[in-house]
Amino acid sequence: MRLRKVLLGLATATGLAATSLSISMAAVPAPQPGALGGHTITGTYVSGLSSGGFMANQLHVAYSSVFQGAGIFSAGAYDCAQNSVNTAQFACMDTFQQRKTPAELEQLTRSRATAGTVDPPQNLSGDPVWLFHGTADQTVAPAVNDDLATYYRDFGARVAYNNTSAAGHAWVSPIGPNSCGSTSSPYVNNCGAVDPVKEMLGHLFGQVNPAAGALSGKLVQFDQSAYVPGGNAAAVSMGREGFAYVPRACETGPCKLMVTLHGCYQYYGLVGNALMDKAYLNEYADTNNMIVLYPQATTMTGNPRGCWDWWGYQSAQYALRTGPQMTAVVNMVKAMSGQPTTPPTTPPAPECVTANNYAHTTAGRAYALYGQTYATGSNQALGLWNTFTTSSIRQTSPNYWVKC
C-alpha cells in the first residue's frame, strides 16, 4: 500500500492533487507584502510534516547551535536517504530495502561534525524533541519513525513520542479539515478532542497558554529569493513567496520563533494557505509570544511533488549546513532577529573535464547517457566507458557526472 502511494506520487503531475481540495480562508489573515524584520527572538524551534519533518530534523542536526528543539510529524532519522531517491522510497518510507541503522547515522553525524559540515551533536543533548506517527499512516513506516526516536535519544535529547493516535499521514490539528485516518490533500487531519499541537508546544516550551479564539496578528508575505544562495528560489525548488505569522505582541516585544515546514503536495503554490490556516499554530502564537515562519518549497525536475530536499534531488549537500535549502531557511531565521545573512552568491559552474572514455573510467568518473545517470564506479558506468571515444563531462555531485 505504501509503495503504491509512493510510486503514484512520484509519477503523477502535481495539479491532480489539488482537485479534491477546498481551501478555507477563515482563520489566517490575508497576506501582506513585507520583509522579515528584526525581532527580539528568545528561542528558535523547527517543526514539519513528512518531507518537512525530514527537513526539520536536518536543520536541527546541522544547525543545532541555532535550533533548540524540534516537533516532527512522520519522518525518519538524519540522512536516512543517503543521497538516493531509491533509498528514500524503499528504505526510508517503506522498508523493502535495508537502511542504515540509527547507530550508523549517529556515527555519520559525528564524522560530519568533526569535518565541520554540521554542528556538534552534543548540542542535541537536553533539547526537547516531540515526535508523532499515526497508526493509520501507511506512507512512512512506523519502524522508520522509531529510528528517529532512537537517533535523538542516543544523543541525549528529551524525546516525547506520540505513536498511538489513529491518524493517517498528516499534520493533526483540532481544526483540521480531514478525518483522522485520512491521507489526502491538504494533509491536515482532525482527530477529535485531542490537540497534538498543544502537546508539541507544551513539550518544546515547558508550558503553553490556551489557544486564541480569534487571530490578531498579521501574515507577512516575503520574497524567498532574497535568502537563497544564488538569489533564485526556483533554482533550488523553493517558491517565490514565503510567509510569517507575526502576533501583535511580537512587533514590539520578545518572542519565540517556530519554523514550520510543509510536506509534499502541501506547498502554497498547490494548496494555498491550507496549512497556515488549519495547523493551529497561529492561534497558539497569539497567546504564547511566538512568531511562525512558513518557508515554501515548490516543484522542479526530480521533485514533482514539491517536497523539501531530504534525498538529494537538488544538491548533494542537502543535509549539510551548506545545503542550499538549509542555508535559505537559516538565512530567514537570521533575518527575523536582524542578524547578517549568508550573501546570495551564484556558485561557479563546474569545470568540464575532457578525456577519452577509458581515462574517465579509470579516474572513477561517469556520465548521463540517453537520460540515465550512472553512479561513479557502477557496473553500468564501467560498461559505458570501455571505449577510447573522447568526451567532455562535468561533475554535478560527488558521485555523478553529465556531458558538457
Side-chain angles (χ1 to χ4, degrees), residues 65-146:
S65 61
V66 174
F67 296 95
Q68 282 120 39
I72 298 172
F73 288 82
S74 193
Y78 175 76
D79 205 5
C80 179
Q82 295 289 288
N83 198 24
S84 167
V85 66
N86 286 336
T87 302
Q89 293 177 75
F90 303 122
C92 302
M93 294 174 68
D94 262 304
T95 54
F96 297 121
Q97 294 180 0
Q98 186 175 358
R99 65 190 180 281
K100 287 191 176 294
T101 66
E104 289 173 320
L105 296 176
E106 292 157 23
Q107 185 53 49
L108 172 66
T109 307
R110 294 186 190 96
S111 297
R112 289 180 175 177
T114 300
T117 56
V118 303
D119 283 352
Q122 295 92 319
N123 294 341
L124 299 173
S125 181
D127 278 5
V129 172
W130 182 87
L131 306 179
F132 184 96
H133 190 275
T135 59
D137 186 340
Q138 297 184 357
T139 303
V140 172
V144 173
N145 217 115
D146 293 347

Side-chain angles (χ1 to χ4, degrees), residues 329-370:
V329 173
V330 171
N331 276 342
M332 296 174 196
V333 169
K334 291 178 179 178
M336 292 300 295
S337 59
Q339 300 177 46
T341 61
T342 303
T345 57
T346 302
E351 294 183 2
C352 290
V353 178
T354 301
N356 64 57
N357 293 342
Y358 179 78
H360 284 311
T361 302
T362 57
R365 296 186 284 263
Y367 81 114
L369 181 67
Y370 306 127

Side-chain angles (χ1 to χ4, degrees), residues 70-73 128-132 158 160 162 196-197 199-200 203-204:
I72 298 172
F73 288 82
V129 172
W130 182 87
L131 306 179
F132 184 96
R158 294 188 291 108
N162 183 338
V197 180
E199 182 184 317
M200 175 182 74
H203 182 68
L204 295 181

Side-chain angles (χ1 to χ4, degrees), residues 42-398:
T42 58
T44 303
Y45 303 83
V46 62
S47 58
L49 162 67
S50 195
S51 77
F54 280 99
M55 184 71 169
N57 170 252
Q58 287 176 189
L59 283 163
H60 188 201
V61 172
Y63 285 93
S64 56
S65 61
V66 174
F67 296 95
Q68 282 120 39
I72 298 172
F73 288 82
S74 193
Y78 175 76
D79 205 5
C80 179
Q82 295 289 288
N83 198 24
S84 167
V85 66
N86 286 336
T87 302
Q89 293 177 75
F90 303 122
C92 302
M93 294 174 68
D94 262 304
T95 54
F96 297 121
Q97 294 180 0
Q98 186 175 358
R99 65 190 180 281
K100 287 191 176 294
T101 66
E104 289 173 320
L105 296 176
E106 292 157 23
Q107 185 53 49
L108 172 66
T109 307
R110 294 186 190 96
S111 297
R112 289 180 175 177
T114 300
T117 56
V118 303
D119 283 352
Q122 295 92 319
N123 294 341
L124 299 173
S125 181
D127 278 5
V129 172
W130 182 87
L131 306 179
F132 184 96
H133 190 275
T135 59
D137 186 340
Q138 297 184 357
T139 303
V140 172
V144 173
N145 217 115
D146 293 347
D147 283 357
L148 179 59
T150 299
Y151 175 92
Y152 268 124
R153 285 171 177 149
D154 286 351
F155 278 128
R158 294 188 291 108
V159 176
Y161 188 8
N162 183 338
N163 59 356
T164 60
S165 168
H169 187 70
W171 183 282
V172 180
S173 154
I175 57 173
N178 290 354
S179 62
C180 185
S182 171
T183 297
S184 61
S185 188
Y187 305 100
V188 186
N189 292 2
N190 185 328
C191 289
V194 299
D195 185 354
V197 180
K198 178 181 180 180
E199 182 184 317
M200 175 182 74
L201 296 177
H203 182 68
L204 295 181
F205 302 158
Q207 61 180 16
V208 61
N209 296 322
L215 298 181
S216 62
K218 63 181 180 180
L219 186 68
V220 177
Q221 178 177 318
F222 61 92
D223 180 5
Q224 293 196 135
S225 290
Y227 306 98
V228 173
N232 182 354
V236 300
S237 204
M238 291 180 66
R240 180 179 62 184
E241 60 276 294
F243 302 88
Y245 180 75
V246 182
R248 186 175 300 169
C250 299
E251 294 183 18
T252 56
C255 276
K256 297 175 286 291
L257 175 63
M258 171 63 75
V259 178
T260 298
L261 302 162
H262 61 77
C264 304
Y265 281 147
Q266 206 182 29
Y267 58 97
Y268 180 75
L270 181 63
V271 303
N273 67 8
L275 180 65
M276 294 182 283
D277 184 37
K278 298 302 183 184
Y280 212 48
L281 284 167
N282 304 330
E283 288 77 4
Y284 281 110
D286 260 10
T287 56
N288 289 275
N289 294 337
M290 177 179 77
I291 297 171
V292 188
L293 177 65
Y294 297 100
Q296 299 294 316
T298 190
T299 59
M300 70 177 299
T301 301
N303 182 33
R305 299 183 295 164
C307 306
W308 290 99
D309 192 1
W310 65 275
W311 69 84
Y313 68 77
Q314 194 278 322
S315 169
Q317 300 179 49
Y318 65 97
L320 307 180
R321 289 172 57 91
T322 49
Q325 291 183 356
M326 303 271 278
T327 302
V329 173
V330 171
N331 276 342
M332 296 174 196
V333 169
K334 291 178 179 178
M336 292 300 295
S337 59
Q339 300 177 46
T341 61
T342 303
T345 57
T346 302
E351 294 183 2
C352 290
V353 178
T354 301
N356 64 57
N357 293 342
Y358 179 78
H360 284 311
T361 302
T362 57
R365 296 186 284 263
Y367 81 114
L369 181 67
Y370 306 127
Q372 176 64 55
T373 300
Y374 297 97
T376 298
S378 67
N379 290 334
Q380 298 100 318
L382 294 173
L384 283 173
W385 291 109
N386 192 18
T387 173
F388 286 92
T389 302
T390 296
S391 297
S392 296
I393 60 178
R394 61 182 174 83
Q395 193 170 21
T396 58
S397 78

